[in-house]
């Protein structure tokens, strides 16, 4: 599922949800070949896309990057 920032920019694609964390796929052009995680409390609403309550710059500054080879 596509993830959109509050300013309407594509910031990623959901890989899976793990508890209160959303893991974004590393194959998305925005990911740079790395998984990133965001907390579910950044989600404003969900329809055919996940809409965040943060703009694209803030999302990219604050998301967590998974260490290489974690594969979890």
């Amino acid at each position: 599922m596509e993830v959109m920032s509050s300013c309407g920019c594509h910031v990623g694609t959901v890989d899976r949800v793990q508890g209160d964390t959303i893991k974004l796929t590393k194959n998305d052009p925005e990911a740079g070949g790395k998984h990133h995680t965001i907390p579910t409390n950044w989600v404003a609403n969900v329809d055919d896309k996940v809409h965040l309550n943060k703009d694209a710059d803030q999302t990219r500054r604050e998301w967590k990057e998974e260490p290489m080879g974690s594969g979890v």
Side-chain angles (χ1 to χ4, degrees):
M1 184 173 275
E2 185 174 12
V3 181
M4 304 295 291
S5 66
S6 62
C7 60
C9 295
H10 171 91
V11 292
T13 304
V14 174
D15 186 345
R16 65 178 148 258
V17 177
Q18 298 172 300
D20 61 355
T21 302
I22 299 170
K23 184 176 188 176
L24 304 177
T25 183
K26 65 181 179 181
N27 298 330
D28 189 274
E30 291 294 319
K34 300 173 184 170
H35 281 114
H36 296 92
T37 59
I38 58 173
T40 55
N41 65 5
W42 289 10
V43 175
N45 68 295
V46 178
D47 47 33
D48 60 326
K49 299 175 183 173
V50 176
H51 298 272
L52 302 181
N53 58 21
K54 295 185 180 281
D55 68 33
D57 289 337
Q58 191 176 19
T59 298
R60 292 181 187 109
R61 271 195 316 272
E62 297 179 18
W63 63 15
K64 293 193 172 34
E65 187 175 297
E66 281 201 356
M68 294 298 282
S70 67
V72 180

